[in-house]
Amino acid sequence: MNPGLGKAWPSLRLALSNRWPRGQISLPRGRWLLWSALVTLLAGLLGLLIFLAHRYEVSALQSRLDAQANDLAASVHDSLMRNLRLFGALNPEQPTVWASQATDLLLQRPEMVRIEWRGEQMQLRLSQDAPGRSAPFGRLARAHSEADVKLSCSAALRFGTPTFSSSYFVLQEDGRGMELMDLCIPRKEAGVLTGYTVVSYSLGEILARGPGARLAQGQSLAFTDPDGTRLAIHGQLGEGGRQYTSRPLVDLPGNTLVLRLDTMQERPTLLPQPLTALVAALAAALSAVLTLLVRDMRRRQQVEQELADALAFRKAMENSLSTGLRARDLQGQITYVNPAFCRMVGFEAGELLLPGDAVPYWPPELAPTYKARQQDRYNNTAALRGGHESLFMRSDGTRFPVLIMEAPLINAQGKHTGWMSAVLDISEQKRAEELSRASQERLQAAARLAMVGEMASLLSHELNQPLAAIASYANGSINLLQDDQGRQAGAAPDHLHSDLLEALRRIGGQAERAGRVIRSVHDFVRRRDQRRESVPARDLVEAIMPLLALQARKLDVQLRIDLRADAPPVVCDRTMVEQVLLNLARNAMQAMQQDCEPLRELDLQVRPSSLNGRVWVEFSVSDVGHGINDEVARQLFTPFFTTKEEGMGLGLSLCRTVVEQHGGALHFQPRQPRGTTFKFTLPAGTGRLPP
Ligand code: ADP
């Protein structure tokens, strides 16, 4: 498990559990308010609907009653107006005929209780009461209602139409009363008023005969005063329920009657009424839907919460991973990268997800190879599992090695939609490998060096004797030759003798020099205190000149020595420094040797320099050879590194060690237009240093 993820895990769990305590979902306050408002609104709406439906039922009942009452009023009006035609047939000229005609009429129309014929001065001439019933004016004289009759007759005469009087109460002989209304019809012959026919109607009978028959059970019908006082009534009002009343007018000429129809109806209960029931059913359905909706909401919230949990977990995991994750679609286009991948390559996710062929973290020079390799791998998915190494480029242009493990990306439907890769930065791993390889090599080199050291000290020990012998033989030979020359004193100088003497002196000198070199190397290998002395720079150069000149002649190299006069003496182990100079010069000549360049020049310069407040002597050896490429430069001072067939690869590493042991530094630089310059510095000094 990733250590970063391990650390992030408890805090992630804490964060998630703080946000949504397990097993309970709390709605945010705003959402509660919304839901309460919705429920209240719906309840209000449903209440209003039920109330309106109820009111509609009540008004429908009232409308039906009004329609019935208007119908009854119209029938009363029509029947009274129709009766008018009947009175024209009455013939007052013949009283007996008139009486029988009037009797017939009274029998046919029981609502009429009396018919009178009056003269033009309203004086009563003939009268006929309804047969079979007590006379209406039997108890109370007709004179009491005379004013009403006269009033209606004068109005009838004035307007030329039959006119009804206002109603009046007449006490009957049986103690009960009767509400009567008179109708006055002026009679004219040849335009001259001959008298009036006055008909008395019983309001009670009008109700009973005409509309009374059409009343429903529990209904009552009445004529009322404008102030509501009942004048005549028919029917028995039912009990219980709500009373509905309708008051249509019966508009008669001269009088307007108020008809009042009452009925008792059960108050429409909420449910049995179809409309109310329908509304209530709708409300119930709506409530059920609302409940289901709320439940669905809660379930949805739960799913949302689980999704958010999963998402937060995934995000935390992605962020804490140190492995880079990258997804590609089937066309190779990057569709997803995690933060670790972005950190690794130094690009923003947005820059990596840009459509197009260019992949920003591919080194441009390798992009075509990578493209082809990617195609190959996608064609051969079996090869994907193992993983492969590659080289990526950061946004700053630096390259770094990575290990990529790739697998096909399969979606929830089992469809192959792309490729998923885990990318590991293996720079550290590579560096560690490189370090271990280098230290391994150093160990081997050190072991070989130690062996060389042993060999060198063995050789120096073994060679000392023969060299000493060579030197003493040379000295002996010189002595012999000089003695021989002494004996032949006076003879002409022999050239052979003198050449031999010189050669033998050189042999002796070189044998001594070889002995010194061997001693110095021995001391160097044994790390004994080297003998440091202050040596003029010129002496150092001159000491190696014979050997240098010899080699230069052999290799056809032109030597140029530039020794600055102000160069101070050098504090050093002169033999070792001479070896360093010799080594550098030999390398320089060999570098020019491999080349067909006709110009072969070696420059040896000595000049003073200063660094860190100290005076140094700088030696430089320059050639016009093939130069040093990067590959060689990296390993130049590594022991046993050589590009020559017969080389040992120890020269430069020894030179550097010698120079550094003196406190100086050895380095090289390319020379223009070609070749290389090796430079080293040695501390300047005067006089001999104490050992
Ligand atoms: P060796 O001379 O035995 O090869 P050195 O340590 O002296 O060992 O040199 C190591 C290598 O460095 C040589 O093999 C050669 O390739 C390279 N080299 C040294 N000096 C020069 C130079 N002046 N020009 C070009 N290459 C050089």
Side-chain angles (χ1 to χ4, degrees):
M1 185 175 175
N2 188 315
L5 181 59
K7 256 180 262 160
W9 176 238
S11 57
L12 168 74
R13 272 214 316 232
L14 190 72
L16 291 178
S17 62
N18 279 350
R19 182 141 183 233
W20 284 299
R22 197 158 271 293
Q24 68 170 60
I25 306 165
S26 56
L27 282 178
R29 200 180 138 73
R31 213 178 276 185
W32 265 122
L33 278 177
L34 270 178
W35 274 109
S36 318
L38 183 66
V39 169
T40 316
L41 264 174
L42 263 174
L45 198 68
L46 289 177
L48 186 70
L49 260 176
I50 292 173
F51 170 73
L52 286 177
H54 183 63
R55 260 199 42 186
Y56 174 77
E57 297 283 351
V58 169
S59 78
L61 269 176
Q62 182 66 49
S63 302
R64 280 205 296 279
L65 190 72
D66 286 344
Q68 185 188 1
N70 284 335
D71 201 26
L72 292 175
S75 78
V76 167
H77 178 270
D78 289 351
S79 118
L80 287 175
M81 294 311 279
R82 252 195 325 269
N83 286 351
L84 292 178
R85 284 185 284 113
L86 303 173
F87 306 117
L90 292 172
N91 183 4
E93 306 300 331
Q94 295 171 335
T96 48
V97 176
W98 184 90
S100 80
Q101 284 174 328
T103 307
D104 285 348
L105 262 179
L106 289 169
L107 283 172
Q108 279 171 26
R109 300 279 188 271
E111 65 269 26
M112 300 177 199
V113 293
R114 179 184 164 94
I115 301 176
E116 294 174 349
W117 167 252
R118 294 188 182 225
E120 57 269 32
Q121 295 302 318
M122 290 299 294
Q123 63 279 29
L124 185 65
R125 291 229 179 103
L126 297 168
S127 72
Q128 181 64 50
D129 289 331
R133 55 192 302 172
S134 55
F137 298 107
R139 181 148 177 194
L140 206 67
R142 176 69 167 133
H144 281 99
S145 53
E146 205 54 34
D148 290 320
V149 178
K150 280 184 177 161
L151 214 61
S152 62
C153 282
S154 67
L157 188 63
R158 200 161 52 245
F159 298 117
T161 54
T163 303
F164 288 90
S165 74
S166 48
S167 67
Y168 50 89
F169 184 76
V170 180
L171 199 63
Q172 296 299 296
E173 282 178 340
D174 57 2
R176 292 192 297 180
M178 192 192 283
E179 191 73 18
L180 295 181
M181 175 181 71
D182 292 329
L183 166 69
C184 183
I185 309 159
R187 186 181 176 90
K188 290 184 177 170
E189 278 178 20
V192 180
L193 179 74
T194 54
Y196 302 93
T197 305
V198 177
V199 183
S200 298
Y201 279 100
S202 159
L203 292 187
E205 287 301 324
I206 291 174
L207 292 179
R209 303 297 156 189
R214 290 156 55 190
L215 282 189
Q217 185 75 23
Q219 288 185 322
S220 79
L221 191 64
F223 283 116
T224 65
D225 266 350
D227 63 1
T229 313
R230 281 191 181 79
L231 304 173
I233 187 162
H234 178 79
Q236 184 68 38
L237 193 61
E239 281 177 4
R242 174 184 166 154
Q243 181 175 352
Y244 291 84
T245 303
S246 183
R247 292 186 187 81
L249 297 177
V250 183
D251 194 16
L252 299 169
N255 190 12
T256 300
L257 292 171
V258 180
L259 194 66
R260 172 175 171 154
L261 177 62
D262 287 285
T263 185
M264 291 304 278
Q265 278 280 341
E266 283 298 316
R267 183 182 285 273
T269 50
L270 286 181
L271 286 178
Q273 305 301 324
L275 184 66
T276 318
L278 190 69
V279 168
L282 273 176
L286 208 63
S287 308
V289 168
L290 202 69
T291 315
L292 286 176
L293 212 64
V294 169
R295 198 175 299 167
D296 183 64
M297 270 293 282
R298 289 180 75 86
R299 213 170 292 153
R300 191 177 284 241
Q301 272 174 341
Q302 204 157 359
V303 173
E304 264 177 24
Q305 173 196 322
E306 282 165 15
L307 257 176
D309 277 0
L311 211 68
F313 177 66
R314 209 190 89 168
K315 200 94 202 125
M317 241 179 24
E318 277 176 19
N319 292 344
S320 58
L321 266 184
S322 63
T323 308
L325 295 178
R326 175 193 67 186
R328 282 189 172 137
D329 62 15
L330 290 173
Q331 284 71 45
Q333 173 71 43
I334 300 172
T335 52
Y336 165 78
V337 282
N338 75 339
F341 189 87
C342 294
R343 277 196 302 275
M344 202 182 284
V345 294
F347 287 103
E348 294 290 321
E351 297 173 82
L352 296 172
L353 300 183
L354 281 180
D357 261 1
V359 181
Y361 53 82
W362 278 358
E365 68 279 8
L366 296 172
T369 325
Y370 282 11
K371 187 93 197 146
R373 194 178 62 182
Q374 176 182 318
Q375 209 50 51
D376 280 356
R377 275 204 320 280
Y378 288 171
N379 291 340
N380 176 21
T381 47
L384 283 177
R385 308 262 169 199
H388 62 278
E389 285 189 14
S390 185
L391 191 73
F392 277 7
M393 185 178 78
R394 296 195 185 91
S395 56
D396 60 6
T398 52
R399 321 287 153 107
F400 64 103
V402 287
L403 177 69
I404 305 175
M405 274 155 294
E406 215 152 26
L409 198 63
I410 309 294
N411 73 1
Q413 286 76 45
K415 202 174 150 213
H416 178 200
T417 56
W419 311 94
M420 188 76 206
S421 324
V423 182
L424 277 176
D425 182 350
I426 52 171
S427 314
E428 281 307 316
Q429 189 182 327
K430 285 271 169 195
R431 200 168 302 143
E433 278 173 18
E434 183 58 37
L435 272 178
S436 116
R437 197 182 56 78
S439 66
Q440 197 71 25
E441 274 176 10
R442 266 203 305 280
L443 262 178
Q444 285 172 4
R448 277 193 282 170
L449 262 183
M451 215 163 76
V452 169
E454 286 304 316
M455 271 168 60
S457 61
L458 196 73
L459 275 176
S460 64
H461 182 73
E462 293 300 323
L463 286 177
N464 255 340
Q465 300 296 328
L467 280 174
I470 290 170
S472 61
Y473 280 129
N475 276 336
S477 304
I478 290 169
N479 288 340
L480 281 175
L481 275 176
Q482 279 173 342
D483 286 353
D484 186 47
Q485 219 170 14
R487 272 197 301 275
Q488 296 173 14
D494 185 349
H495 280 292
L496 182 66
H497 260 89
S498 54
D499 283 356
L500 264 175
L501 261 178
E502 182 56 31
L504 284 170
R505 267 192 215 105
R506 293 238 174 133
I507 289 172
Q510 287 306 319
E512 269 175 33
R513 182 178 149 70
R516 283 204 308 278
V517 168
I518 284 169
R519 261 196 312 284
S520 289
V521 170
H522 189 258
D523 288 350
F524 175 74
V525 170
R526 290 286 166 207
R527 299 230 177 249
R528 295 217 185 99
D529 278 347
Q530 285 104 36
R531 288 178 304 141
R532 303 269 169 89
E533 55 191 322
S534 177
V535 190
R538 177 175 294 279
D539 289 5
L540 288 170
V541 176
E542 279 177 357
I544 59 163
M545 266 320 279
L547 282 176
L548 267 190
L550 200 71
Q551 224 163 3
R553 224 181 2 261
K554 212 168 97 188
L555 298 177
D556 193 17
V557 173
Q558 194 186 336
L559 276 181
R560 284 201 307 226
I561 313 293
D562 175 12
L563 198 71
R564 283 258 295 262
D566 57 347
V570 185
V571 181
C572 64
D573 177 335
R574 64 178 298 166
T575 317
M576 292 309 288
V577 173
E578 284 165 18
Q579 284 307 114
V580 169
L581 275 171
L582 264 178
N583 210 335
L584 293 180
R586 196 179 54 238
N587 274 348
M589 286 190 242
Q590 285 173 347
M592 293 187 282
Q593 191 59 35
Q594 293 170 6
D595 223 14
C596 303
E597 184 70 36
L599 184 68
R600 293 174 186 170
E601 288 175 342
L602 186 146
D603 287 313
L604 180 80
Q605 293 183 336
V606 183
R607 61 182 62 206
S609 76
S610 70
L611 184 71
N612 299 335
R614 279 184 71 181
V615 183
W616 300 81
V617 182
E618 186 189 87
F619 295 80
S620 71
V621 181
S622 310
D623 61 66
V624 285
H626 53 69
I628 295 174
N629 63 29
D630 288 349
E631 178 69 27
V632 174
R634 264 202 302 279
Q635 313 173 64
L636 203 62
F637 295 103
T638 313
F640 304 110
F641 170 75
T642 180
T643 57
K644 301 169 195 162
E645 272 179 23
E646 70 287 2
M648 288 232 336
L650 281 173
L652 283 178
S653 99
L654 269 172
C655 288
R656 189 163 74 170
T657 314
V658 168
V659 170
E660 282 175 359
Q661 273 183 357
H662 282 83
L666 169 66
H667 57 271
F668 70 96
Q669 63 196 49
R671 190 189 190 195
Q672 293 308 328
R674 51 180 289 134
T676 318
T677 299
F678 275 87
K679 282 184 183 171
F680 68 92
T681 49
L682 291 172
T686 48
R688 199 184 166 84
L689 291 180

